[in-house]
Structures are given as structure tokens and as C-alpha cells.
Amino acid sequence: MSTKIKGAEYPLSKIFSSDFEYEIPSYQRPYSWTEEETETLFNDLYEFYDTESDDENYFLGSIVLVKDDDKPLAEVIDGQQRLTTLTILLAAIAYNLDGEEKNDFKGYILEPGRPSQGLASKPRLKIRSRDNAFFVENVQSLNFERLLQLDPKNQDTEAKSNIIRNSKKIFDKLQEKCTTKQKIIEFGMFLVQRCFLVVVSTTSQISAFRVFSVMNSRGLDLQVTDIIKAELIGSIPEEKRNEYTDKWEEMEVRLGRAGFNDLFSHIRMIKMRTKAKKTLLEEFKKGVLLKNTGEYAMKFISDTLEPFSDAYYIVKNCIYNRSHSELDDSINDLLCWLNKIDNTDWVPVAMVCYEKYKDTPEKILDCFYQLERLAAFMRISSYDVNSRISRYGQILSELDNDELSSMKLTENEKETFINYLNSDIYSMSANKRNYIILRLDSFVSDGSAKYKNSVLTIEHVLPQSVNPKSEWAKIWNDEEARNYWVNKIANLVPLAKRKNSSAQNYDFEIKKDKYFCGDTGTSAYALTTQVLNEKEWTPTVLQQRQEMLLNIFKQKWDLNLNQ
């Protein structure tokens, strides 16, 4: 059933009324507007008030809320920066007035309450819990004498510092523009009567998130993790909430927002072990978050999110260092090669392997060796995403029992892998052939080479097109042989330079001297250095070289077939 989305335009007198009780969810970023943005808002408002006719209205944009029609409580998905800054502005106006006018404007900040009905006065806007008491005490209680004396540099949150600075800015602007109380009243009347916000509301958090993703053009978009955080942190008892919010935010800062969102996708795979069929939010709630209690939320953060966050950080940054031996280097080398594969389907398996075997380096080395070989095989032999996810899901299930059988290559898969490596490598996509060539180069150099060049080209030794008058034409007069060998791995070399079309048809000696080596007469790549050491480039050399390179693959990736 579709969720109804409503949109309506309201003046600030309605926005800050008993019809709305705003709450900023804990997953939202803190109040972050600076003096520059606050001054821009004030200047825009005052300029419009001062120059436009009384029948013209000012549009402040839109806010997105999760709200039931018959209840004032409204969870702010988008709009907290404007609502908070407007509250400061209205509070500053109220502070500068007396008597009835003061109480009138104070009513836009605080719900007056009804003592006869047992209803207490309360703020119309509740910001993030960590900063809310400060906001109530100083802004919403109109305690500006104290607020303006505070040093923003000495606050424990950036939001509090911004509240102090922006309050000072608004006070200065009011004194500059509104030199009498009557001018303050008239400017305040303009704000509440002629300034409008469009309120987009829905009863569904997911629906509100989708609306926000389309509409928002300010700051950072919400991630799925923000929505999950709202539910988890919100369910934790208040006395523990800050502790777990800090844990959450430390992980997010460490991984970055995009990486943190990816972490949740990998955790979903670890738990569900199938390809996602719905949105991450829906699947995470269905297959990962099995209960909606504070106790479960704390356990999830401590026992699942934190250890897998650490595993993801280690795996993606290739910084395993628990054995303090050469094994660490070997493990990190395998992780570097895994990260060069142009998909991340392997990551959940690597995370589980790390978490299970992190204190047994020999085991984790074997796990990552098998995983890198399998990931390379499936990528090079063009396994589609469904096949890859199915295989990794099977491996995740086996890891529950410390099994790695599905991570190993079968005899048929080994044979298939060898056939791909023996095929026309250059005809593959650039990502595939680059991986194969560089991985082979690392095997030839025995792991000593590092690959950080931003520019990589794979070049033919025997050119793809042979000039009839060249030495190539004399040596390779058999066109069928040329076509067979030209794109094989034996005829390809990596170069750390951009393609030079004029060099492609150089004869062998000139090509080595002018194109394949640097100023020192050597190459950074072991494969290219091997070619530099050859005196000629004949069909016999290529045949021997192809067999030698395939044998290196068979040895390093254990691709020899059982007889």
C-alpha cells in the first residue's frame, strides 16, 4: 500500500504553533550552520522586508517531516538548520521586547501549556539530545545575558559553539537594522506573517527518506545508516545513549560516510548470504535487526557493528599487523590484490575470515590466499554478480563450521582458469587484463614490486600492425602465427607511461631502447625487464615465454591439475 505524502505552504506563525512539535533525530548531523550562513539568511530576510511591498511573501524553502496527521510530533528529516536558526532569531526578537509583545513572540518558541489541563510549557523544537539542554537553557529560555558571555571555543560540541556564534551574529544584526523596539516588532510581524515554509510530511520514515533524497540540495544527504541509527540509538536507555552514540560516530568518522554505508551492506550479506532483492534499509531490518529493544541495540553495536567495522577497516586499508612477522606483509599483500579487483563482492568473506582467524595468521593467510585466487578466477572468467554472490554466500555458510572447501577451485575451474590465462589476454576488458598482467608481474618479482603508478598501459612487443618494410615483417612473415601470438600474455608488457602510438611499430631493439626502458636502461616492471634481456623476439621465444609464464601462474595460484 502506498504511503500518502502531503505538502502544504505555511507561514511561520503556523510553523511555530501547537500544530507542530519538532524533534531532531539523533542520527541527524549536529547543528552546523556558521555565522556566514546565518548572516546570509538574516540579510535576505531583512532586505526583502525593507524593500518589498506588504503584499509580497518570502519563501524559505521546504522541510521534510515524519508526522501523523492528528499528532503534533514531527521528526525532522530535512530542515533542522533553518528551524534552529529561525528559533534563535525569534528568541532574540522576544528577548528585546517587553510585556505583551515579549510574551507573544515567546509563544513561537515555547508551547505555553495549559495548567488547567495539566499540560506543561515546553519548547516547540527539540534539537539533538547532546545539545538540547544547552539550547533550552540559553536560547529557548531567552537567557541571552549568559549565552552571549560564553566562549564558543570552550564548548564540548561544535553545535553549541555554532549556537553561541550565530546568536551573537543575530543580536548584532538586530541592533544594526532595528534601532527601536517598534522596528523590532514590525520586523517580527513580517517574519511570522509573510515568511513561508513548504512542509512535506509523511507517516513513513522510509518514504520521508526518499523524498529528502530527491529534494535535498543542502549539505550531506542522509544515508541508510542514519535511519538505522535513529531506531537503534533511540531504543537505548537514555543513561546509555551518549555512550553508544559516541561509539557509532567514531566508527562513521573512521570509515567515512560512504564506507560506513558500505559496511552495512556487507553485514547484510554476512547475515543473509543472498543477493539483495529490496532496499538495504528494508533488508537490514528484515534479516539483521531481529529485535527492536535497547538491549538488542547495544548488543548489536558492541558485538556486531564494532568488530565488523574494525574488520572492514583492516581489509580495505590492508593493515593487518597482529603477528608482527613476515606473515603480516604476506597477508597485506593479498589484501592489496583483492582490493584491485573491480568488485567488492569478496569483502564480506574477507571480513568474516579476519574476525574468525585474526589471531591465527597462518589460517588467515591461507584464507586470503584462497579468496584472492577465487575472486580473480571469477572475475577473469566473467562470473556474473548472481553467480559470485551465490558462491560467496555458500562460503559464508561454511565458515560457520571453519570450512573453506567452497573457496577452493575445483579441477574443472583450474582448467578453465588456465585456458583463460592462455587465451588472448589483450582482448579482455582493460580491468581484467591489467589485473592479470600486474599479478603476473608481482609473481615474477617475487612480491617485491609495488604498484602505485597512476598511469598504466599494456603494450605489445610484437606490434598489432606490422609494417611490410620492417624487421618484424621478416621475422614474422607468417601472418597466422602473428595473429595467434600478438595478444597472448607472452607478448604483453606493462609500462608506466601513456600510450605512444608512434612507438608501436619500432623494431625490437629500438623499441626496447627508446620505449620499454627508462633513463637508467631498466624498467620498474619485472615482465618488461625480462623482455629487455631478450636479444630477439621470434615465434620460438614467444612459445617458450608463454609456457614459462603459465607455469608461474600454475605454481603461484596452485593451478596444476591432478593426474
Side-chain angles (χ1 to χ4, degrees):
M1 184 174 70
S2 62
T3 301
K4 189 174 183 180
I5 299 173
K6 289 187 173 184
E9 186 180 67
Y10 297 122
L12 292 189
S13 60
K14 179 79 166 179
I15 294 294
F16 293 101
S17 73
S18 57
D19 289 347
F20 297 94
E21 182 182 323
Y22 302 104
E23 184 170 302
I24 308 300
S26 59
Y27 60 80
Q28 288 276 20
R29 58 181 174 145
Y31 177 62
S32 58
W33 265 21
T34 65
E35 294 170 278
E36 180 180 353
E37 290 150 323
T38 300
E39 184 172 19
T40 298
L41 176 64
F42 186 96
N43 288 343
D44 288 347
L45 288 167
Y46 193 85
E47 182 180 358
F48 191 95
Y49 155 74
D50 194 43
T51 59
E52 299 296 330
S53 62
D54 290 347
D55 57 351
E56 294 291 333
N57 296 326
Y58 185 87
F59 177 57
L60 280 160
S62 60
I63 60 176
V64 180
L65 310 175
V66 177
K67 182 181 181 299
D68 292 329
D69 290 342
D70 57 347
K71 297 178 182 178
L73 184 63
E75 184 178 305
V76 180
I77 302 300
D78 182 36
Q80 73 143 320
Q81 307 295 332
R82 279 163 293 161
L83 289 172
T84 305
T85 308
L86 288 169
T87 297
I88 295 173
L89 176 55
L90 291 169
I93 290 173
Y95 174 81
N96 280 284
L97 298 177
D98 300 305
E100 186 177 345
E101 287 88 358
K102 184 184 191 78
N103 289 332
D104 184 14
F105 278 94
K106 190 175 180 180
Y108 297 117
I109 302 153
L110 297 171
E111 167 63 44
R114 297 291 298 272
S116 62
Q117 299 180 24
L119 299 177
S121 173
K122 60 183 177 181
R124 300 200 184 280
L125 171 66
K126 180 180 179 182
I127 65 173
R128 282 171 39 122
S129 58
R130 185 175 296 186
D131 307 304
N132 191 61
F134 179 88
F135 194 63
V136 172
E137 179 182 352
N138 294 286
V139 175
Q140 292 167 313
S141 298
L142 309 186
N143 194 4
F144 284 94
E145 298 97 330
R146 177 181 183 275
L147 177 62
L148 298 181
Q149 296 301 315
L150 295 176
D151 186 347
K153 297 179 182 178
N154 293 334
Q155 304 308 308
D156 60 353
T157 71
E158 189 66 27
K160 292 175 184 176
S161 300
N162 289 330
I163 289 169
I164 295 170
R165 293 190 182 100
N166 294 344
S167 297
K168 173 66 173 170
K169 177 60 66 177
I170 286 173
F171 252 72
D172 290 345
K173 298 301 292 187
L174 272 176
Q175 288 181 353
E176 175 190 342
K177 299 295 185 181
C178 302
T179 55
T180 67
K181 287 187 178 179
Q182 185 57 36
K183 287 186 177 180
I184 291 176
I185 292 171
E186 290 173 357
F187 180 53
M189 290 171 60
F190 157 76
L191 290 175
V192 298
Q193 294 179 26
R194 293 170 51 200
C195 293
F196 286 75
L197 276 167
V198 168
V199 176
V200 180
S201 63
T202 173
T203 59
S204 164
Q205 196 176 60
I206 293 176
S207 179
F209 172 60
R210 288 172 179 160
V211 171
F212 171 73
S213 296
V214 173
M215 294 177 61
N216 183 52
S217 61
R218 304 167 185 261
L220 295 172
D221 284 350
L222 287 178
Q223 299 274 12
V224 169
T225 52
D226 297 323
I227 306 299
I228 296 171
K229 179 184 179 185
E231 296 191 3
L232 289 176
I233 299 297
S235 69
I236 294 174
E238 190 169 351
E239 64 271 15
K240 290 280 191 178
R241 198 169 294 159
N242 282 345
E243 174 188 347
Y244 283 88
T245 298
D246 288 343
K247 287 184 177 184
W248 188 288
E249 292 178 355
E250 285 173 10
M251 288 183 279
E252 185 175 18
V253 169
R254 189 187 193 199
L255 298 180
R257 280 175 66 80
F260 196 55
N261 201 63
D262 289 342
L263 169 65
F264 277 69
S265 179
H266 297 318
I267 291 175
R268 185 218 67 84
M269 175 62 185
I270 290 169
K271 298 297 184 180
M272 300 186 72
R273 301 169 186 181
T274 59
K275 184 182 177 184
K277 298 179 177 63
K278 298 180 180 179
T279 66
L280 175 58
L281 181 59
E282 292 171 298
E283 296 226 336
F284 209 86
K285 287 184 175 182
K286 175 185 176 183
V288 180
L289 300 178
L290 305 180
K291 297 179 182 178
N292 187 23
T293 65
E295 183 178 353
Y296 181 84
M298 291 186 289
K299 183 175 176 59
F300 170 78
I301 292 171
S302 297
D303 297 350
T304 299
L305 194 58
E306 283 191 311
F308 279 134
S309 172
D310 186 54
Y312 180 72
Y313 186 77
I314 297 297
V315 164
K316 293 301 290 182
N317 290 283
C318 314
I319 51 173
Y320 179 88
N321 64 351
R322 299 181 78 91
S323 75
H324 305 292
S325 70
E326 292 181 359
L327 288 178
D328 287 357
D329 293 336
S330 298
I331 290 168
N332 289 326
D333 184 59
L334 287 167
L335 286 174
C336 287
W337 285 106
L338 278 163
N339 277 286
K340 291 181 186 294
I341 292 174
D342 60 343
N343 66 66
T344 59
D345 302 331
W346 56 270
V347 173
V349 174
M351 288 167 57
V352 173
C353 285
Y354 172 82
E355 184 57 26
K356 286 182 70 70
Y357 308 127
K358 59 189 174 187
D359 294 319
T360 311
E362 294 83 4
K363 184 76 171 180
I364 203 170
L365 179 64
D366 179 56
C367 181
F368 287 167
Y369 171 82
Q370 304 284 354
L371 180 58
E372 190 263 337
R373 182 181 64 168
L374 174 64
F377 164 69
M378 290 198 291
R379 184 65 187 95
I380 291 166
S381 56
S382 300
Y383 271 49
D384 62 35
V385 64
N386 292 327
S387 300
R388 295 196 306 266
I389 294 297
S390 177
R391 182 69 166 266
Y392 289 133
Q394 187 176 356
I395 293 169
L396 288 169
S397 296
E398 290 181 352
L399 280 168
D400 288 341
N401 300 314
D402 291 330
E403 288 288 334
L404 295 178
S405 57
S406 291
M407 204 183 290
K408 301 180 186 297
L409 297 184
T410 66
E411 292 297 294
N412 286 339
E413 287 172 337
K414 288 182 180 180
E415 185 174 8
T416 300
F417 204 175
I418 293 169
N419 289 338
Y420 271 101
L421 295 172
N422 196 33
S423 66
D424 286 355
I425 296 297
Y426 195 81
S427 300
M428 296 180 179
S429 66
N431 285 329
K432 289 184 183 180
R433 67 172 178 253
N434 287 358
Y435 191 91
I436 294 171
I437 295 292
L438 288 183
R439 195 65 176 110
L440 177 60
D441 193 84
S442 74
F443 289 151
V444 170
S445 68
D446 202 23
S448 60
K450 303 298 179 184
Y451 304 94
K452 296 182 179 180
N453 295 307
S454 58
V455 178
L456 169 70
T457 59
I458 305 299
E459 291 292 335
H460 297 80
V461 182
L462 168 67
Q464 291 173 292
S465 299
V466 171
N467 187 326
K469 298 181 181 180
S470 67
E471 288 292 323
W472 291 118
K474 298 177 182 177
I475 299 171
W476 290 86
N477 55 15
D478 184 343
E479 185 175 357
E480 184 176 346
R482 287 205 311 263
N483 291 337
Y484 178 82
W485 285 110
V486 69
N487 290 324
K488 291 284 194 294
I489 200 168
N491 190 52
L492 303 175
V493 292
L495 297 178
K497 60 174 69 176
R498 298 192 183 278
K499 195 176 185 70
N500 183 351
S501 58
S502 64
Q504 292 177 24
N505 292 319
Y506 287 161
D507 287 335
F508 185 53
E509 286 300 324
I510 298 176
K511 202 169 191 177
K512 286 194 298 179
D513 183 53
K514 294 185 177 293
Y515 192 38
F516 285 174
C517 63
D519 296 336
T520 62
T522 61
S523 171
Y525 296 104
L527 288 174
T528 311
T529 299
Q530 285 182 339
V531 174
L532 292 174
N533 292 330
E534 295 288 347
K535 295 182 179 180
E536 57 182 3
W537 203 251
T538 65
T540 301
V541 170
L542 271 177
Q543 185 172 359
Q544 293 172 346
R545 179 172 172 77
Q546 183 78 4
E547 184 176 346
M548 181 266 293
L549 295 177
L550 284 177
N551 282 334
I552 290 174
F553 270 127
K554 290 176 182 179
Q555 177 188 355
K556 296 293 186 178
W557 265 337
D558 189 19
L559 299 178
N560 288 303
L561 302 176
N562 293 329
Q563 300 299 323

